[in-house]
């Protein structure tokens, strides 16, 4: 897995976390227990620290970068495929839907869902337990039953999938 030190700070990856062989981690990155970082994802912490909390997953081709505020992806949270997460806080068990953007100084609440393709503008707050949608993501609605089920099951689904990939991939 490509791990790179930058100005004396190196990524720290818990032994039970899984990093895809094509993911790239640079600088002051911490990946906690049971978390996963998938193929093509880039996590670059050159201006501050990025923490991927326990059981979180950062899916394929997502980009996480940080400014001076630091960035964290909460416990059990999901950053979906092709997302851009920049200098913000993603709450525990939140889901950032595929192709979404969450920008500087924003906070996504616990168990919130950002609908696919949405943009959370700088310094915005998405409350806990709502779905935010649009570009900008100003429309907040209560979570549906299916959204709640996705929030409840996605962390364990991706933790199991990471175990399968760790045990079963082979370069050909």
């Amino acid at each position: 897995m490509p791990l790179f030190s930058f100005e004396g700070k190196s990524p720290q990856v818990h032994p039970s976390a899984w990093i895809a062989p094509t993911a790239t981690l640079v600088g002051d990155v911490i990946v906690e227990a049971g978390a996963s970082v998938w193929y093509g994802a880039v996590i670059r912490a050159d201006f501050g620290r990025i923490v991927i909390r326990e059981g979180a997953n950062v899916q394929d081709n997502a980009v996480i970068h940080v400014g001076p505020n630091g960035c964290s992806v909460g416990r059990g949270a999901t950053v979906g495929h092709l997302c851009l997460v920049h200098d913000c806080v993603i709450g525990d068990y939140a889901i950032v839907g595929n192709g979404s953007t969450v920008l500087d100084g924003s906070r996504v609440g616990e168990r919130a869902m950002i609908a696919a393709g949405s943009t959370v503008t700088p310094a915005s707050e998405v409350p806990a337990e709502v779905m935010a949608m649009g570009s900008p993501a100003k429309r907040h609605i209560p979570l549906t039953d299916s959204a709640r089920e996705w929030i409840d099951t996605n962390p364990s689904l991706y933790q199991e999938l990471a175990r399968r990939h760790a045990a079963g991939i082979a370069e050909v």
Side-chain angles (χ1 to χ4, degrees), residues 66-87:
V66 68
N69 298 316
C71 189
S72 67
V73 175
R75 289 180 300 117
T78 294
V79 174
H81 309 284
L82 296 170
C83 287
L84 170 62
V85 172
H86 197 273
D87 202 35

Side-chain angles (χ1 to χ4, degrees), residues 9 27 65 76 100 152 166:
K9 295 186 178 175
H65 188 237
S100 294
D152 290 341

